[in-house]
Amino acid sequence: MAKYSVLYNKIQKDIEDGRLKPGEQLPSEKELMDEYDLSRDTVRKSLSLLVTNNYIRKIKGKGSFVLEMNKFDFPVAGLISFKEMAAKTGMTSYSTEVIRLQIQKSATFPTKALDAQEIHSIWEVIRVRTINGRRVILDKDYFYQDVVPELTEEISSNSIYEYLEQNLGLKIGFAQKEIVMEKATAEDRLLLDLYDYDMVAVVNTLVYLVNGKLFQFTQSRHCPDKFKFIDVARRNTP
Amino acid sequence: MAKYSVLYNKIQKDIEDGRLKPGEQLPSEKELMDEYDLSRDTVRKSLSLLVTNNYIRKIKGKGSFVLEMNKFDFPVAGLISFKEMAAKTGMTSYSTEVIRLQIQKSATFPTKALDAQEIHSIWEVIRVRTINGRRVILDKDYFYQDVVPELTEEISSNSIYEYLEQNLGLKIGFAQKEIVMEKATAEDRLLLDLYDYDMVAVVNTLVYLVNGKLFQFTQSRHCPDKFKFIDVARRNTP
DNA sequence: TAGTGGTCTAGACCACTAA
DNA sequence: TAGTGGTCTAGACCACTAC
């Protein structure tokens, strides 16, 4: 592990575990250099990462301070899986039911997500997420089979991402999300407990590997009253 | 202007204006050093910024490449004002109507957004955004008066952000957004052209200055069929 | 004035990619 | 093997903040 990663992880953990409290001042760059026996640039690299990930902010002439970002309910910063979210927010009761798991010939895979007109074999996974006894999320995932050769019901009902990262060694790079509202379909009404709602919140996601290759499209359809998306935006990062 | 900013802006502009095309390879760090007479670290700082802002990606042993991120309709990356968005997406016909502009004593300012129980004087600005003849967005903005002393109808109907940044010299740091769906209120139905929809997409935003001080809360209520939110998420930025 | 973070440099070594 | 980006160092000067 790189030296700057070690320091980054140390401070990140200190913040998440509450050893460093919101508003608290971090040691100065000089002090961190001495304490961890690092050059200033390496210390600065760690701190820069903490800044871009919204853990701290730096003020010229004053120091580095832990951000106070606990005004919202849960800390979803972008890309996170259902299972990770469940763990972070401490959901007591949740489960996943696999509705369909099959291979397709790019039929229903959204055309705009395809790089070209090539024919691909594609895994289609349809799952329903239940939280506290209510079916609230309908997930439709599509993976290229040349990237994800095998997929079982057991993997799907656990965490696909965990499998992809730990077993297949795939490295997720980034994702584009699009959030829209749509009229509920007959399928939505069948698979979700929508009560009297006639709309759903739809999150379309394209997931890319670190090498830039697109490998997954996901459509996540949520009960409107149980949907919440959190985002932290930084204006003009430079 | 810092040297790394100069190079960053140069390349960013080249990408946005199409002189550097998606997938194209940038000059190597060595070449950029020579061409712009910079040290390697300075070149790397520029490129790092382009990476975190999702303009390019770097591949060890190969080079830096322009990202292909044009699969979505418009490039909203986080924090952007209505006027900026209108300019970027080339909306032909839009206007803003100021419904209410007044000073309040923190009454309707959402309590969870307040730092303490202090009493503040707060500007309340309620505006309706019309696009192509349809009233699609209801914006409710709240500003602390000690940060924004004066606000006129003219400023409000133009761009408040432009005024804050250029005239008051305020520096926006970052914002937290929360997106939820809500049942339409009587006010929504009165001020928006909702047709037969009975829900709205609600974006709650807390805006902080670079010094970390919270200074604005905004609630933006959208017609569901005209709402779209785009987000780019990077997994494990380190 | 002392201490802080911001910028910039020159040089070194490593790991990965491609021919 | 040559070229690329990734990490790390030591030292310099600057701008801002606080006292």
Side-chain angles (χ1 to χ4, degrees):
Chain A
M1 181 112 77
K3 290 189 179 182
Y4 76 89
S5 288
V6 173
L7 179 54
Y8 172 88
N9 290 330
K10 167 79 168 57
I11 297 177
Q12 183 206 37
K13 214 158 185 320
D14 281 352
I15 292 174
E16 290 192 340
D17 296 351
R19 282 186 294 281
L20 281 169
K21 303 198 189 319
E24 195 171 333
Q25 181 165 7
L26 269 62
S28 73
E29 296 181 349
K30 177 75 174 61
E31 289 169 323
L32 289 171
M33 285 170 64
D34 296 344
E35 186 175 351
Y36 293 90
D37 195 29
L38 297 172
S39 74
R40 180 152 175 242
D41 253 30
T42 303
V43 169
R44 283 178 60 74
K45 200 164 178 180
S46 308
L47 297 185
S48 297
L49 263 178
L50 289 164
V51 168
T52 64
N53 289 353
N54 295 306
Y55 282 102
I56 67 171
R57 75 167 193 271
K58 307 174 84 173
I59 302 178
K60 195 193 294 191
K62 290 184 74 173
S64 305
F65 301 84
V66 179
L67 276 180
E68 330 187 22
M69 300 280 280
N70 310 317
K71 296 197 169 82
F72 277 120
D73 308 12
F74 59 94
V76 176
L79 198 52
I80 195 167
S81 77
F82 179 76
K83 197 177 176 188
E84 287 172 316
M85 196 186 75
K88 277 219 178 192
T89 57
M91 280 191 241
T92 47
S93 153
Y94 66 91
S95 61
T96 299
E97 185 192 356
V98 180
I99 304 291
R100 193 152 73 229
L101 174 63
Q102 64 182 21
I103 289 201
Q104 286 203 343
K105 291 293 177 191
S106 70
T108 58
F109 199 96
T111 50
K112 73 166 178 176
L114 284 172
D115 275 344
Q117 290 81 355
E118 309 164 42
I119 300 298
H120 287 271
S121 285
I122 287 171
W123 278 105
E124 179 184 49
V125 188
I126 299 190
R127 293 176 291 178
V128 170
R129 317 290 201 165
T130 300
I131 301 177
N132 297 330
R134 181 173 168 204
R135 298 171 299 165
V136 291
I137 306 174
L138 172 60
D139 272 347
K140 300 177 167 197
D141 292 82
Y142 301 87
F143 303 89
Y144 287 118
Q145 201 198 4
D146 44 354
V147 181
V148 186
E150 190 54 34
L151 219 46
T152 67
E153 188 150 335
E154 193 200 338
I155 295 168
S156 304
S157 60
N158 192 12
S159 173
I160 293 183
Y161 266 43
E162 216 170 274
Y163 171 71
L164 298 180
E165 294 193 321
Q166 292 177 14
N167 298 60
L168 295 186
L170 295 179
K171 288 184 186 165
I172 311 295
F174 58 92
Q176 291 180 313
K177 286 176 198 257
E178 173 194 78
I179 301 175
V180 292
M181 295 174 66
E182 290 182 8
K183 287 276 186 194
T185 64
E187 187 187 41
D188 293 331
R189 272 188 283 272
L190 183 68
L191 295 174
L192 297 176
D193 293 314
L194 278 179
Y195 304 151
D196 64 330
Y197 293 102
D198 68 339
M199 301 202 77
V200 291
V202 178
V203 183
N204 293 314
T205 307
L206 296 174
V207 184
Y208 297 80
L209 300 175
V210 284
N211 64 17
K213 182 171 165 55
L214 172 68
F215 92 107
Q216 180 197 2
F217 171 79
T218 295
Q219 183 173 78
S220 203
R221 305 175 72 84
H222 301 247
C223 290
D225 57 326
K226 286 299 176 187
F227 173 77
K228 184 187 287 196
F229 181 83
I230 307 282
D231 181 56
V232 176
R234 185 167 291 282
R235 191 169 176 87
N236 295 331
T237 319
Chain B
M1 182 110 77
K3 290 190 181 181
Y4 76 89
S5 289
V6 174
L7 179 55
Y8 172 88
N9 289 329
K10 166 79 170 60
I11 298 177
Q12 183 205 37
K13 215 160 182 320
D14 282 351
I15 292 174
E16 290 192 339
D17 295 351
R19 282 185 295 281
L20 281 169
K21 303 200 188 320
E24 196 171 331
Q25 182 165 6
L26 269 62
S28 72
E29 296 181 350
K30 177 74 174 58
E31 289 168 324
L32 289 172
M33 285 170 64
D34 296 344
E35 184 175 352
Y36 292 90
D37 195 29
L38 297 171
S39 74
R40 184 160 170 233
D41 253 29
T42 304
V43 169
R44 283 178 60 74
K45 200 164 177 179
S46 307
L47 297 184
S48 297
L49 262 179
L50 290 163
V51 168
T52 63
N53 289 353
N54 294 307
Y55 283 101
I56 66 170
R57 76 167 192 273
K58 307 174 86 175
I59 303 177
K60 195 192 296 192
K62 290 184 74 172
S64 304
F65 301 85
V66 179
L67 275 180
E68 328 187 21
M69 300 280 280
N70 311 317
K71 296 199 170 83
F72 278 119
D73 306 12
F74 59 94
V76 177
L79 199 52
I80 195 167
S81 76
F82 179 75
K83 196 178 176 188
E84 287 172 315
M85 197 185 75
K88 278 220 178 193
T89 58
M91 280 190 242
T92 48
S93 153
Y94 67 90
S95 61
T96 299
E97 185 191 357
V98 180
I99 303 291
R100 192 153 72 230
L101 174 63
Q102 64 183 22
I103 291 203
Q104 288 204 341
K105 292 292 178 192
S106 70
T108 59
F109 200 97
T111 49
K112 72 167 178 175
L114 284 171
D115 276 344
Q117 291 82 355
E118 309 165 43
I119 300 297
H120 287 272
S121 285
I122 286 171
W123 279 105
E124 178 183 51
V125 188
I126 298 190
R127 294 176 292 178
V128 170
R129 317 288 202 167
T130 300
I131 300 177
N132 297 328
R134 180 173 169 204
R135 298 171 300 165
V136 292
I137 306 175
L138 173 59
D139 272 347
K140 302 176 166 197
D141 292 82
Y142 302 88
F143 302 89
Y144 287 118
Q145 203 199 3
D146 44 354
V147 181
V148 186
E150 190 52 35
L151 219 46
T152 67
E153 187 151 334
E154 194 200 338
I155 295 168
S156 304
S157 60
N158 191 13
S159 174
I160 293 183
Y161 266 43
E162 215 169 273
Y163 171 71
L164 298 180
E165 295 193 323
Q166 292 177 15
N167 297 62
L168 295 186
L170 294 179
K171 288 183 186 166
I172 312 296
F174 59 91
Q176 292 180 313
K177 286 176 198 258
E178 172 195 79
I179 301 175
V180 294
M181 295 175 68
E182 289 182 8
K183 287 276 186 193
T185 64
E187 186 187 41
D188 295 331
R189 271 187 284 271
L190 183 68
L191 295 173
L192 297 175
D193 294 315
L194 277 178
Y195 304 151
D196 63 329
Y197 293 102
D198 69 338
M199 300 202 77
V200 290
V202 178
V203 183
N204 293 313
T205 307
L206 295 175
V207 184
Y208 298 81
L209 300 175
V210 284
N211 64 17
K213 183 173 164 52
L214 172 68
F215 91 108
Q216 181 197 1
F217 171 80
T218 295
Q219 182 173 80
S220 203
R221 305 174 72 84
H222 300 248
C223 290
D225 57 325
K226 286 297 175 187
F227 173 77
K228 185 188 287 195
F229 182 83
I230 307 282
D231 181 56
V232 176
R234 187 167 288 282
R235 191 169 176 89
N236 295 332
T237 318

